[in-house]
Amino acid sequence: MVPDDDVIEVPLPPRDWDQIALNTVTVIVTALVLACVVWSTVSIGDLLSRVVIAPAAYGAATVFDLAWIALMIIEWLARYTPARARAARNEGHRRTPHRHGSSRRARLAGR
């Protein structure tokens, strides 16, 4: 066998700017979703802490937010099966309190 000492330089491929942009958007959206989840958990926990002890209130708020995220993931995974996606979406809407509509109904019922 003859030793081969030749060095072959392989050029780097060009940068994929579309992939870099997509990765940047993914990081931004992930940070925004995390901020929204934290804000939501703190807000819901603060509201519930007026009627129960704080650890239970924030625990319930965390469970609420995790269920919401799980339903969004299920809806996305079922995006090619409209009936299954609709079921997850409807369950998410059912579990989300519609404060504006319910308070309006309460005001109308009181008149």
Side-chain angles (χ1 to χ4, degrees), residues 36-73:
C36 288
V37 167
V38 169
W39 188 354
S40 172
T41 302
V42 170
S43 296
I44 295 168
D46 185 47
L47 287 172
L48 293 176
S49 68
R50 297 173 187 175
V51 292
V52 296
I53 60 172
Y58 288 100
T62 302
V63 169
F64 175 82
D65 283 336
L66 290 176
W68 172 68
I69 291 169
L71 287 168
M72 282 195 317
I73 291 170

